[in-house]
Amino acid sequence: MTEQKHVEKHGFTTEVSQLLQLMIHSLYSNKEIFLRELISNAADAADKLRFKALENNALYEGDGELRVRVSHDKEARTLTLSDNGIGMTRDEVIEHLGTIAKSGTKEFFGNLSGDQAKDSQLIGQFGVGFYSAFIVADKVTVETRAAGAELSQGVRWESAGEGDYTVADIEKAGRGTDIILHLREGEDEFLDDWKLRSIITKYSDHISIPVEMFRDEQPESEGPDGEKIEAVPGEWEAINKATALWTRGKNEISEEEYQEFYKHISHDFADPLAWAHNKVEGKQEYTSLLYIPSKAPFDLWNRERQHGLKLYVQRVFIMDDADEFMPSYLRFVKGVLDSNDLPLNVSREILQDTKVTANLRSACTKRVLTMLERMAKNDAEKYQNFWNEFGQVLKEGPAEDFANKEQIAKLLRFASTQGEGADQTVALADYIERMKEGQDKIYYVTADSHAAAANSAHLEIFNKKGIEVLLLSDRIDEWLLSHLNEFDGKSLVSITKGDLDLGELDDEESKQQKEQAETEYASFVERAKESLGDKVKDVRLTHRLTDTPSCIVVDEHDMTTQMQKLMEAVGQQIPEQKYIFELNPQHPLVKKVADEQDDGAFSEWLELLFEQACLSERGSLENPADFIKRINRLLG
């Protein structure tokens, strides 16, 4: 064994220890994926060397044929994967193999339940990579040397996966990384040539570098007709096609190959929901292969989370997570972009300023939106699955992408008073199709929860007249509606803002009742204004209520109560805002207050109605104790 120097023992971070235990138990039923993960990492190492060697060809050390080799030793019960890629330094070994350098790890472990089926799905979304080796191995040895480093700067990492690992300096002749798996008892199938070849063919056919296994020497033999068959020396042979999948024709690629390639680039365990593979020639030349996952990653809302496409230039890997080609509201999209128009020495700074990037971003965005549009049209159930996972992210689109606002709006889904409970299944086009004769607006209400929206007092007149209202309760909805104020020529109107005007939807009888009430209650409204003073912006009669005595609304251009709460939640200072107080003249309690002659009692009842309306709309009061005392006094 190679002499070891400078041996150190380190403890795994808590997250790694937890992940190792979970993987060994939760992923055991699908254990062969470890080979896919390790080969995928080796291919990435080759891609990174190819990129770095553009500036420093000496990194190849005279060996430019990149590959990964899989071998086994039945007596020692070891399985070895060797690549001649970029390799690692001692510091990189400790960083990459001792910690999980992925944002949101704390949140990830907080979501684990102890249910193996659910946990394995979560781990799949998290990505397991190198640590999957411990599913089949009770000890893993890694020997590596960074490309361009001295032979004496090799590193050996070793662990039994039980809380700690050792790191030592060794001499290593070849650059790259050897991973030696010391297999557990009962894992002998991974010492079988045929089994290994079938797994590589199944999972790694699309890898762009050769995955090789050694074919034993064939001695000289005699054919069936007595002819002499010459001996064939033993040699390494490629098991996979070793051609970048996206460079092949669509008719040459099977559905299974597309799915396996997705798992290679995303480290997801589940199959993708849909994909689009396109080769474009002409003014710009590029190939894109874009995937929509079937499950949202656990850290989709983590701001530090990296997203974007794998970028290649003329088949040469440039970078992971090139987010310049996909807007933030499509950050769930995975895939590969291979351009012939960008320079090989492209950097993130150059990408941000180039016209080629802007055109590619526009084209990729259109491609994804078209893919989603087709899915919504041709397979409503599949699209609903997509919406349930990624709908809230897509709602960021109209604010971020003005050019595609109309196309994004067609993809949005909402709950409504005519929908299926809290499920967001109603498209804006569906709403317009069901509009009442004479209706020219799309009505909506926002609230903290679906239950609060569905039971809002503002809905009463709409329910009475059978007018559909969208029920919005996602935090993003207020932001969305501040950037999406019309669809297909119909304006979107909040039923909690301004003076409600139902236009042609109001019948003559209702209009006459309103005029009569305005006359009868004119003095009461003036008295109420005087009593409440500067606590309110205005007091007026309402015709939007049928069963509730009062409500508060905001002016047409004022911030809704939901938007105020949203801004407060992110620490924004909100200027004091006064509400318009509306009273229902048909309600017995309002009639009682209107007839109250005692100014003190009148003021108390009016305050109570105002506080009730604020509580119903905002969900809280500035002084709840005062509210309770008032109720007790009036009931006493």
Side-chain angles (χ1 to χ4, degrees):
M1 193 170 181
T2 314
E3 184 188 352
Q4 297 190 133
K5 298 174 184 175
H6 188 198
V7 182
E8 290 179 344
K9 184 180 263 192
H10 295 263
F12 281 123
T13 60
T14 308
E15 291 90 352
V16 173
S17 296
Q18 283 179 274
L19 184 61
L20 288 171
Q21 290 307 307
L22 285 163
M23 274 198 309
I24 290 163
H25 297 104
S26 299
L27 300 183
Y28 199 74
S29 59
N30 190 25
K31 54 192 174 183
E32 65 186 32
I33 58 96
F34 82 90
L35 200 52
R36 178 190 76 194
E37 293 290 305
L38 297 180
I39 291 173
S40 181
N41 285 352
D44 286 346
D47 278 340
K48 283 167 185 168
L49 175 60
R50 197 181 282 134
F51 175 57
K52 285 203 169 184
L54 290 171
E55 292 184 346
N56 181 8
N57 197 55
L59 292 175
Y60 280 132
E61 301 178 7
D63 176 16
E65 296 295 318
L66 299 173
R67 42 87 190 138
V68 54
R69 288 176 171 170
V70 179
S71 58
H72 57 81
D73 183 330
K74 288 187 178 178
E75 286 187 22
R77 303 193 75 257
T78 58
L79 175 65
T80 302
L81 285 90
S82 300
D83 70 65
N84 60 348
I86 194 70
M88 290 181 280
T89 63
R90 187 183 181 102
D91 288 344
E92 286 169 339
V93 165
I94 294 169
E95 181 187 347
H96 297 317
L97 305 187
T99 61
I100 300 174
K102 189 160 184 174
S103 61
T105 50
K106 189 174 180 183
E107 180 192 344
F108 164 69
F109 287 106
N111 287 333
L112 295 169
S113 62
D115 179 324
Q116 284 188 20
K118 288 180 184 172
D119 286 354
S120 64
Q121 188 182 62
L122 252 181
I123 293 167
Q125 293 169 49
F126 184 77
V128 292
F130 167 76
Y131 301 110
S132 61
F134 289 98
I135 299 172
V136 295
D138 52 20
K139 185 170 84 168
V140 176
T141 304
V142 177
E143 295 184 349
T144 185
R145 178 172 66 77
E150 298 289 333
L151 303 192
S152 60
Q153 291 179 335
V155 184
R156 175 177 290 131
W157 179 99
E158 201 160 61
S159 176
E162 292 176 348
D164 57 40
Y165 60 91
T166 59
V167 181
D169 292 339
I170 60 168
E171 187 149 318
K172 186 174 187 298
R175 68 160 191 273
T177 303
D178 302 338
I179 300 176
I180 303 125
L181 283 69
H182 306 263
L183 297 176
R184 298 174 186 277
E185 288 296 326
E187 303 297 355
D188 293 22
E189 61 180 314
F190 298 111
L191 297 171
D192 179 79
D193 241 48
W194 180 86
K195 175 71 173 178
L196 291 171
R197 285 167 185 262
S198 65
I199 294 172
I200 292 166
T201 304
K202 177 181 177 183
Y203 289 125
S204 305
D205 218 25
H206 52 75
I207 299 287
S208 58
I209 63 167
V211 181
E212 300 176 347
M213 287 186 68
F214 195 76
R215 187 182 62 199
D216 290 334
E217 177 187 357
Q218 300 293 317
E220 185 181 298
S221 60
E222 194 174 285
D225 299 324
E227 74 275 19
K228 177 183 167 187
I229 300 174
E230 292 187 9
V232 179
E235 63 176 350
W236 290 96
E237 64 173 350
I239 307 302
N240 63 330
K241 289 192 175 80
T243 306
L245 180 127
W246 66 90
T247 63
R248 291 157 53 192
K250 286 195 270 191
N251 57 346
E252 299 172 27
I253 307 169
S254 69
E255 193 166 297
E256 291 74 18
E257 285 178 304
Y258 275 123
Q259 290 169 346
E260 285 308 322
F261 184 69
Y262 165 74
K263 291 170 186 173
H264 162 63
I265 61 171
S266 68
H267 298 288
D268 191 356
F269 281 22
D271 289 334
L273 200 61
W275 59 85
H277 184 189
N278 294 91
K279 185 172 184 178
V280 177
E281 293 175 331
K283 200 172 181 181
Q284 273 191 302
E285 288 191 16
Y286 68 90
T287 302
S288 64
L289 175 50
L290 307 173
Y291 289 93
I292 295 171
S294 55
K295 288 283 179 188
F298 78 95
D299 57 351
L300 183 64
W301 297 99
N302 190 313
R303 287 178 180 274
E304 296 172 24
R305 176 180 181 267
Q306 290 186 311
H307 66 274
L309 306 179
K310 271 184 177 287
L311 175 64
Y312 289 76
V313 173
Q314 298 166 38
R315 313 291 181 271
V316 177
F317 170 77
I318 303 298
M319 67 180 75
D320 282 309
D321 307 314
D323 56 8
E324 292 82 2
F325 301 100
M326 200 57 67
S328 179
Y329 72 93
L330 296 178
R331 59 185 172 273
F332 50 83
V333 174
K334 300 287 185 184
V336 165
L337 180 64
D338 190 345
S339 168
N340 284 351
D341 302 310
L342 288 165
L344 280 168
N345 63 346
V346 69
S347 65
R348 287 194 185 273
E349 289 71 33
I350 292 172
L351 282 178
Q352 288 167 1
D353 296 329
T354 171
K355 188 179 178 183
V356 174
T357 300
N359 291 338
L360 287 171
R361 178 188 175 98
S362 175
C364 289
T365 301
K366 282 281 188 191
R367 193 79 63 196
V368 173
L369 293 178
T370 302
M371 202 188 332
L372 291 172
E373 218 169 49
R374 285 178 186 152
M375 191 194 300
K377 183 180 177 182
N378 301 327
D379 193 335
E381 186 179 342
K382 185 189 270 193
Y383 185 77
Q384 195 59 45
N385 289 339
F386 160 79
W387 181 261
N388 294 342
E389 293 291 325
F390 301 106
Q392 288 201 51
V393 185
L394 200 62
K395 283 181 179 180
E396 297 172 12
E400 188 184 338
D401 187 357
F402 183 81
N404 293 303
K405 185 160 75 168
E406 193 72 17
Q407 195 173 3
I408 299 164
K410 290 177 185 176
L411 297 168
L412 302 176
R413 297 292 182 267
F414 304 96
S416 93
T417 50
Q418 291 186 27
E420 302 164 24
D423 294 339
Q424 296 181 7
T425 58
V426 178
L428 292 174
D430 299 336
Y431 181 102
I432 289 174
E433 209 173 285
R434 294 196 289 258
M435 281 168 94
K436 293 273 184 184
E437 191 176 339
Q439 184 180 345
D440 62 351
K441 298 181 182 73
I442 298 170
Y443 294 105
Y444 69 87
V445 61
T446 55
D448 285 334
S449 65
H450 175 77
N455 293 288
S456 170
H458 297 280
L459 288 173
E460 290 174 3
I461 190 65
F462 293 89
N463 290 339
K464 182 181 178 182
K465 291 182 177 289
I467 301 168
E468 184 173 7
V469 178
L470 301 177
L471 306 174
L472 311 183
S473 54
D474 289 339
R475 288 188 68 181
I476 188 75
D477 286 332
E478 279 288 350
W479 180 248
L480 164 67
L481 270 303
S482 67
H483 292 86
L484 182 70
N485 29 47
E486 73 162 38
F487 177 77
D488 199 16
K490 306 285 190 295
S491 55
L492 280 87
V493 175
S494 168
I495 65 172
T496 66
K497 284 183 105 173
D499 194 7
L500 183 66
D501 178 13
L502 293 177
E504 293 180 29
L505 297 172
D506 246 353
D507 53 55
E508 277 305 313
E509 187 182 344
S510 297
K511 288 175 182 174
Q512 286 176 6
Q513 285 178 349
K514 286 180 190 176
E515 289 171 9
Q516 186 180 343
E518 296 285 350
T519 305
E520 284 181 16
Y521 283 83
S523 60
F524 162 65
V525 170
E526 285 306 313
R527 189 181 176 200
K529 285 181 185 178
E530 195 176 318
S531 176
L532 288 169
D534 61 3
K535 288 182 181 177
V536 295
K537 192 170 191 176
D538 195 9
V539 179
R540 64 191 182 203
L541 297 183
T542 187
H543 305 286
R544 69 180 92 220
L545 303 176
T546 57
D547 304 319
T548 303
S550 62
C551 66
I552 57 169
V553 296
V554 294
D555 248 346
E556 196 66 44
H557 302 294
D558 283 351
M559 212 180 277
T560 64
T561 55
Q562 282 304 110
M563 181 58 91
Q564 288 175 52
K565 284 190 272 189
L566 190 65
M567 300 294 274
E568 286 167 359
V570 295
Q572 291 284 336
Q573 284 290 330
I574 306 297
E576 187 185 354
Q577 183 167 302
K578 293 176 182 175
Y579 301 106
I580 297 167
F581 183 37
E582 295 193 346
L583 291 151
N584 176 9
Q586 306 303 318
H587 196 278
L589 196 51
V590 174
K591 290 179 179 179
K592 171 185 167 63
V593 176
D595 292 337
E596 180 60 63
Q597 298 303 308
D598 182 270
D599 285 344
F602 177 84
S603 180
E604 283 278 77
W605 279 110
L606 200 62
E607 287 274 4
L608 180 68
L609 290 176
F610 179 60
E611 287 170 337
Q612 275 186 346
C614 290
L615 184 61
S616 175
E617 185 66 24
R618 286 186 56 86
S620 63
L621 291 171
E622 284 184 21
N623 191 346
D626 201 31
F627 173 65
I628 291 166
K629 286 176 187 174
R630 195 182 317 284
I631 291 176
N632 293 338
R633 280 199 301 273
L634 290 169
L635 292 177

